[in-house]
Amino acid sequence: MLDIRKRTGWIFLIVMVAQVLLVSAQVQTRSGVPVVEAVSFGAFAKVQGVTSSAVRGVRDVWSNYAELQGARDENQSLKQRLAELEIRLQEQRALAARTTRLQELLTLQQTTELPTVAADVIGGNPNAIAGIREITISRGTADGVQPGMAVMAPRGIVGRVIGQPASRASRVQLLIDRDAAAGALTERSRVGGMAVGMDRDPPVGMELVANLQDIKPGDLVVTSGVDGIFPKGYAIGWVETAQRGPGLYLNISVRPAVDFNSLEEVLVILVPPRPALSEAEIKAGPEGRK
Amino acid sequence: MKVIAVVAALVLALLFQTTLAGISFRGGTLVNFVLIAVVYVALSFGAVTGLLAGAAGGLVQDAIAGGVVGIGGLSKTIVGFFVGVVGAHFIVSQPATRFVMFVGGTVVHELCFQSLYNLLEGRAPHFAWGTLFTQAAVNGLIGILAFQIVEGAPGLMQRRETRRATFGRRRF
């Protein structure tokens, strides 16, 4: 049997609450609403607010979770898309660079009066063996290429065809090869000499220039045409240093105009080499050579 | 028997309260007979009976007096409960301790009653401490007197019966 004396606290609480409700039912707030109604409405509104907040929180968490999952998938997809676009961008950049180079080559081909044929560099590493610098191009005898023909790039001379070309390929000795040479002169002072490949940096030197000649760093060195291979007036490079040598000649280093490390397309001048001019022919000039 | 005693005490207190409502001390200090009855019941029968008596007596008094029903009941419920709890833990059979309980109960009741009324009417609480303690002292004295009457009545009746019997056997 329930002993109410052991429930003293509860009974006290129940009686108190009952009387508070009784009092509240009789008292009105300033707005005229009974206190019990206002309190119960307020309490209910608070409970409703808490419930609503809890439901909203759970819904937000769930929706965030779902969105996070979607974001992860989207992130993966976007990463993949980004990688594809980066590859495509690189392709486009390469294409644009190639287009630019071909444009320059075409411009060179159009400006020169000599017959030429464009060729791709298909092999060879200029730095493979120190001092021996050759490349292979995609033109050969089928295209009219013959041994000794000059090879150009838009920025200057590259070298000459060596050996017997195949029908669709040829070997080209670069100007920076230690055995390569070309007749040269400075554009400003018209001082003649010989541009040769060297095992140093810069990899081209200019020899046979007397100590008394007027050579300054920055002078443009161009082909002189006396070697019978390279047509006259094409750029070789710029004088980097010009120092008095131990003998009669200056020590001149030339920075090549062509970047031999990034050669991709070249132009072969389809003019067979002629014998080099003799000392007398050089001195006689064009009139004497006729 | 307990229920009858409690109801009788409350009814008696309400009768006194309504009929002797004009009695006042120091110009306005009314004796609260219902409160005295509640404290008496709580001291005599414990906290549960005290709080129930307080609730019932207070509500009836509120209903008779007019105004908000429940404020007096609430105050007397609190008094009945705490007096009952204190009475169960301490020896309160001496008149002095009972007096303290009556005084304390009155003070607590008035504080609760006035505070609740001020709260409901939106006024700052204000207590007339002199009047309050006078009422508490008067309630205490009446409460002790009530205890003396209730506890002394059976013995008095018995002594009277004994004396009558003795006189009857005497031979003059």
Side-chain angles (χ1 to χ4, degrees), chain A residues 252-272:
Chain A
I252 302 168
S253 61
V254 176
R255 177 66 59 188
V258 175
D259 182 5
F260 290 96
N261 289 316
S262 60
L263 274 179
E264 290 183 50
E265 295 90 16
V266 293
L267 211 59
V268 182
I269 298 174
L270 297 174
V271 176

Side-chain angles (χ1 to χ4, degrees), chain A residues 108-117 150 152 229-232 234 267-271:
Chain A
L108 175 66
Q109 197 169 23
Q110 287 172 345
T111 52
T112 182
E113 294 176 351
L114 303 168
T116 56
V117 62
M152 313 275 300
I229 298 171
F230 299 102
K232 188 177 180 179
Y234 289 92
L267 211 59
V268 182
I269 298 174
L270 297 174
V271 176

Side-chain angles (χ1 to χ4, degrees), chain A residues 36-250:
Chain A
V36 66
E37 193 177 328
V39 169
S40 60
F41 180 74
F44 185 70
K46 280 198 188 309
V47 170
Q48 218 174 12
V50 169
T51 310
S52 174
S53 298
V55 169
R56 198 183 307 124
V58 170
R59 193 177 57 201
D60 287 350
V61 167
W62 177 254
S63 100
N64 286 341
Y65 174 71
E67 282 177 9
L68 204 60
Q69 276 204 323
R72 191 178 61 185
D73 295 342
E74 193 178 1
N75 190 27
Q76 290 287 344
S77 168
L78 287 173
K79 276 183 180 172
Q80 192 174 347
R81 178 83 179 138
L82 182 65
E84 290 171 4
L85 287 175
E86 278 181 350
I87 291 170
R88 192 172 296 176
L89 181 64
Q90 286 177 14
E91 288 173 356
Q92 293 296 324
R93 277 183 182 158
L95 192 61
R98 182 176 166 81
T99 305
T100 306
R101 288 194 305 271
L102 290 175
Q103 181 69 40
E104 291 173 354
L105 207 62
L106 186 63
T107 305
L108 175 66
Q109 197 169 23
Q110 287 172 345
T111 52
T112 182
E113 294 176 351
L114 303 168
T116 56
V117 62
D120 288 326
V121 176
I122 57 173
N125 183 354
N127 297 320
I129 305 170
I132 300 172
R133 288 151 181 167
E134 295 174 3
I135 57 172
T136 306
I137 59 173
S138 62
R139 300 288 185 183
T141 51
D143 306 295
V145 178
Q146 294 179 21
M149 285 182 169
V151 178
M152 313 275 300
R155 297 195 174 186
I157 63 165
V158 172
R160 65 188 179 100
V161 177
I162 56 170
Q164 182 58 43
S167 64
R168 294 288 176 192
S170 307
R171 279 197 304 141
V172 176
Q173 180 192 46
L174 301 178
L175 182 64
I176 55 176
D177 187 282
R178 64 185 177 194
D179 293 328
L185 56 83
T186 58
E187 192 181 51
R188 181 181 61 83
S189 56
R190 313 307 289 180
V191 175
M194 188 169 67
V196 294
M198 293 186 165
D199 286 332
R200 67 180 189 195
D201 185 48
V204 177
M206 190 169 171
E207 295 181 346
L208 305 176
V209 179
N211 277 331
L212 299 175
Q213 296 295 341
D214 178 19
I215 301 286
K216 291 179 180 174
D219 281 350
L220 178 62
V221 180
V222 297
T223 51
S224 62
V226 297
D227 49 32
I229 298 171
F230 299 102
K232 188 177 180 179
Y234 289 92
I236 293 174
W238 289 269
V239 174
E240 195 162 283
T241 58
Q243 297 169 339
R244 185 178 289 274
L248 296 174
Y249 303 110
L250 289 167

Side-chain angles (χ1 to χ4, degrees), chain A residues 8 12 15-16 19 22-23 26, chain B residues 48 59 69-70 73-74 77 81:
Chain A
T8 307
F12 175 68
V15 172
M16 290 293 288
Q19 289 183 102
L22 181 65
V23 172
Q26 301 166 72
Chain B
V48 173
L59 288 171
V69 178
L74 206 64
T77 303
F81 175 72

Side-chain angles (χ1 to χ4, degrees), chain B residues 10 64 70 75 114 140:
Chain B
L10 288 174
I64 292 170
S75 307
Q114 296 294 337

Side-chain angles (χ1 to χ4, degrees), chain A residues 4-13 15-24 26-28 30 35, chain B residues 2 47-48 51-52 54-56 59 67-75 77-78 81-82 85 120 122:
Chain A
I4 62 168
R5 285 173 298 187
K6 292 181 180 175
R7 300 282 185 272
T8 307
W10 284 109
I11 292 168
F12 175 68
L13 191 67
V15 172
M16 290 293 288
V17 169
Q19 289 183 102
V20 166
L21 290 174
L22 181 65
V23 172
S24 302
Q26 301 166 72
V27 181
Q28 293 186 341
R30 287 177 185 171
V35 169
Chain B
K2 186 172 77 174
V48 173
L51 76 91
L52 291 174
L59 288 171
V68 180
V69 178
I71 294 180
L74 206 64
S75 307
T77 303
I78 293 168
F81 175 72
F82 283 106
V85 169
L120 293 177

